[in-house]
């Protein structure tokens, strides 16, 4: 399966159009035609995550938080962002981030369900998306509880 095919599957359920406008989601480094046999999933594209993805033979690194939020002027080994991008490219690992598009579509809903909340609704609805989509969740508890 190619990186592009995997991305198409991801974006069917978590469209990049659901991301907040300040966010940077999607393919951030690598090739859409890259053949993917192994995916490494992490919260952040830290040095250790990138190194372990390479050590494990990953073809695609999928993280929640994007490594790059804004444009960068150079990619060199002189700063941590450039060095991480270089390590991804050197290891031929395509890199995809799904941040607020995942938050809006599913993250808070999963947490609310895990906590057993009934009637949970978005704390901050997200634009024209479905009524149950947005950032955070709020619900009335059936009984008082302590933290």
């Amino acid at each position: 399966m190619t990186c592009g095919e995997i991305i198409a599957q991801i974006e069917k359920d978590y469209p990049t159009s659901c991301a907040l406008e300040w966010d940077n989601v999607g393919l951030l480094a690598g090739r859409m035609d890259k053949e993917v046999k192994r995916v490494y999933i992490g919260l952040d594209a830290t040095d250790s995550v990138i190194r372990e993805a390479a050590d494990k033979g990953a073809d695609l690194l999928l993280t929640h938080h994007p490594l790059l939020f804004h444009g960068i002027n150079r990619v060199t080994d002189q700063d941590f962002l450039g060095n991480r991008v270089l390590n991804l490219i050197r290891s031929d690992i395509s890199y995809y981030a799904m941040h607020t598009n995942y938050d809006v579509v599913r993250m808070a809903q999963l947490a609310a369900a895990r906590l057993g909340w009934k009637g949970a609704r978005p704390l901050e609805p997200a634009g024209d998306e479905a009524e149950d989509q947005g950032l955070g969740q709020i619900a009335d508890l059936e009984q008082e509880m302590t933290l």
Side-chain angles (χ1 to χ4, degrees):
M1 184 173 260
T2 68
C3 184
E5 292 168 329
I6 292 171
I7 289 170
Q9 288 296 311
I10 291 170
E11 292 180 358
K12 190 180 339 173
D13 292 328
Y14 308 100
T16 58
S17 62
C18 290
L20 301 182
E21 74 178 47
W22 54 262
D23 203 3
N24 189 25
V25 299
L27 184 65
L28 303 183
R31 302 177 287 116
M32 292 290 271
D33 66 347
K34 166 85 175 149
E35 186 66 30
V36 176
K37 292 186 168 72
R38 185 168 290 178
V39 178
Y40 189 97
I41 299 173
L43 182 62
D44 296 293
T46 62
D47 291 329
S48 61
V49 165
I50 294 168
R51 186 172 31 261
E52 186 166 330
D55 290 347
K56 302 269 185 199
D59 302 298
L60 174 64
L61 172 61
L62 175 64
T63 68
H64 183 60
H65 298 124
L67 174 61
L68 307 169
F69 273 100
H70 307 288
I72 57 177
N73 295 326
R74 58 185 55 90
V75 177
T76 71
D77 63 355
Q78 300 304 299
D79 64 71
F80 80 96
L81 287 176
N83 199 49
R84 288 177 185 174
V85 171
L86 285 171
N87 285 332
L88 286 164
I89 293 169
R90 194 177 295 124
S91 300
D92 194 22
I93 298 174
S94 291
Y95 170 55
Y96 188 92
M98 48 190 297
H99 187 213
T100 57
N101 56 322
Y102 182 72
D103 289 342
V104 165
V105 173
R106 193 79 174 120
M107 176 68 89
Q109 294 87 330
L110 285 172
R114 180 80 174 165
L115 292 168
W117 291 2
K118 306 287 185 234
R121 58 206 175 276
L123 184 61
E124 184 181 323
D128 298 330
E129 304 305 326
E131 283 184 25
D132 66 335
Q133 293 182 350
L135 295 176
Q137 290 279 290
I138 188 169
D140 297 317
L141 300 175
E142 293 179 11
Q143 61 186 27
E144 284 188 28
M145 60 189 305
T146 64
L147 290 176

